[in-house]
Amino acid sequence: MNAVSAGYTIEENASLATHNTLRVAARARRLATLRDASRLPQLLDELGTTPLVLGQGSNVLFTGDYAGDVLLMDTHGVEVDEAEDVTRIAVAAGEIWDDFARWSLSQGFAGLENLILIPGNVGAAPIQNIGAYGVEVAEFIESIEAWDTQTGSVAMLDNAACAFGYRDSIFKRERDRYIVTAVRFALRHSRPLSLDYAGLRQEIARMGYTNPTPYLVAEAVRVLRTRKLPDPAVIGNAGSFFKNPVLPKVQAEAVLASHPDMPSWPVGDDHVKLSAGRLIETCGFKGVREGDAGISPRHALILINHGQASGEQLWALAQRVIDGVEQRFGIHLDPEPRIL
Ligand code: EPU
């Protein structure tokens, strides 16, 4: 690796195998690693291209080598600004999400307890508006500091400007325009607990917590996630590979009429979200394996790499799943990770 300048490095023809949690052995034309956010403009000048930004690589599938440049955000730092009713915390994009979430709980802040153990970096959290157990990160984001590659300047986007939706934001819709450098959270010391998501309240009761605190809710979420979701440190995966489909009410009701046990959640007045996991399981894909590409036997939303699967093989299996659900239910599933 060439130390091009303090603050960042650039490596030619670099392996991405350890930079994507699906553990695909793809290569990038160049791999830049940024350690000092203030050097980003110089780094972009030197690259002369708009790079693909990766944090932990927990939401991408490389279907082959990447012909462009990849930028790894390895920036760190947390700035705390305490006000009377709310504490603002600016977190560098390269911090690990779970470390930050756990730290916030240890400081007595409430809110991120349902979101612990989600893989990825803080800078990636707003891109797909990470969510779990009925809570989405958007609720806690006050603003985002980003580099706007269109204007070549720093942009501050407030929460409304981020246009957050279910696993969605402006950063997904205007792909590659913004490079998130820091996220500013607004956290409080108290917030009503969100316990209504299937299984959470039961898990808390099972653990014997009669008066749960955010910290204890986080413990229950940890148990639930560990039971259901394969750990990317142990087996290659990118969390939910498919998004739950949000359908017009009439279409969802037709599916529910023939599958009354299908988990569903209302979205506004005229849409319904169905469980993609259950749709996939019903089509018989849970636990299938083609070579080293597979669908987790524990959770049908999770595409897994048992070892040496290529990105092409993983994508072929994912497409088989998408086609199978489409044929049986007439519902098109969208992948959650970015397919490259
Ligand atoms: N289900 C099945 N079969 C399966 C998997 C799930 O029938 O193979 C059923 C479950 O029994 C349950 C329902 O589907 O009744 C929902 O399952 P789960 O609670 O696991 O939630 P999910 O909707 O499948 C979403 C998120 C997860 C998040 C969980 C918990 C999406 C795409 N996924 O999954 O997020 O952890 O809720 O809140 O929205 C991620 O985005 O990477 C991720 C893991």
Side-chain angles (χ1 to χ4, degrees):
M1 183 171 302
N2 299 320
V4 176
S5 163
Y8 63 83
T9 54
I10 299 177
E11 186 187 353
E12 308 267 336
N13 183 27
S15 169
L16 297 173
T18 56
H19 300 300
N20 70 99
T21 60
L22 270 164
R23 300 193 197 167
V24 169
R27 303 191 81 79
R29 188 169 76 107
R30 288 182 296 187
L31 178 66
T33 305
L34 181 69
R35 297 201 177 80
D36 175 355
S38 72
R39 303 285 296 170
L40 181 58
Q42 288 86 346
L43 170 57
L44 293 175
D45 268 356
E46 188 170 336
L47 291 174
T49 58
T50 301
L52 167 75
V53 181
L54 280 190
Q56 305 285 106
S58 56
N59 210 40
V60 285
L61 169 59
F62 290 103
T63 59
D65 286 338
Y66 189 68
D69 296 330
V70 171
L71 168 57
L72 286 182
M73 297 299 278
D74 193 16
T75 55
H76 298 273
V78 171
E79 272 172 37
V80 180
D81 174 14
E82 282 191 47
E84 207 169 292
D85 54 341
V86 68
T87 300
R88 297 190 168 80
I89 308 168
V91 187
E95 292 286 349
I96 305 237
W97 168 262
D98 187 48
D99 290 350
F100 166 62
R102 278 187 295 129
W103 172 84
S104 78
L105 292 165
S106 74
Q107 299 299 302
F109 296 115
L112 305 186
E113 57 275 10
N114 293 37
L115 302 178
I116 58 139
L117 268 193
I118 296 182
N121 282 8
V122 166
I127 311 283
Q128 58 150 343
N129 184 16
I130 57 170
Y133 300 98
V135 176
E136 290 178 345
V137 73
E139 180 189 333
F140 310 98
I141 293 179
E142 190 169 72
S143 61
I144 303 276
E145 185 192 289
W147 181 261
D148 183 344
T149 60
Q150 234 167 58
T151 60
S153 59
V154 174
M156 292 296 281
L157 292 95
D158 65 14
N159 185 294
C162 296
F164 290 118
Y166 168 58
R167 296 296 192 273
D168 198 25
S169 71
I170 189 84
F171 308 107
K172 259 189 160 177
R173 277 177 249 159
E174 294 197 27
R175 237 346 151 206
D176 297 327
R177 173 169 176 185
Y178 296 104
I179 297 175
V180 173
T181 48
V183 181
R184 181 184 283 247
F185 296 89
L187 296 179
R188 294 165 196 278
H189 282 274
S190 80
R191 174 192 174 277
L193 297 174
S194 297
L195 305 177
D196 289 335
Y197 192 89
L200 185 52
R201 209 180 281 281
Q202 293 86 320
E203 188 59 40
I204 289 167
R206 207 189 57 79
M207 292 171 87
Y209 304 148
T210 45
N211 193 12
T213 59
Y215 186 83
L216 295 177
V217 172
E219 278 309 298
V221 169
R222 186 178 301 281
V223 169
L224 278 175
R225 285 189 73 100
T226 311
R227 191 186 301 146
K228 278 192 173 183
L229 304 175
D231 180 356
V234 178
I235 186 157
N237 76 87
S240 292
F241 193 85
F242 305 96
K243 288 201 273 189
N244 288 326
V246 178
L247 305 173
K249 209 170 175 179
V250 188
Q251 192 188 353
E253 276 167 359
V255 175
L256 292 167
S258 53
H259 297 82
D261 296 340
M262 176 81 54
S264 65
W265 304 267
V267 176
D269 287 338
D270 24 74
H271 285 81
V272 174
K273 197 194 271 180
L274 291 185
S275 160
R278 182 66 62 85
L279 292 168
I280 294 167
E281 182 173 348
T282 308
C283 292
F285 289 112
K286 193 169 180 170
V288 300
R289 184 167 173 170
E290 285 177 1
D292 273 352
I295 297 294
S296 168
R298 285 203 263 166
H299 199 299
L301 280 188
I302 318 261
L303 183 69
I304 50 183
N305 185 352
H306 287 281
Q308 306 300 318
S310 67
E312 208 180 349
Q313 288 166 330
L314 289 163
W315 184 224
L317 177 57
Q319 281 174 309
R320 229 186 94 201
V321 170
I322 291 171
D323 289 347
V325 170
E326 188 129 35
Q327 272 167 26
R328 171 119 182 223
F329 291 100
I331 296 172
H332 181 79
L333 294 184
D334 288 319
E336 187 180 288
R338 187 163 179 189
I339 313 298
L340 293 155

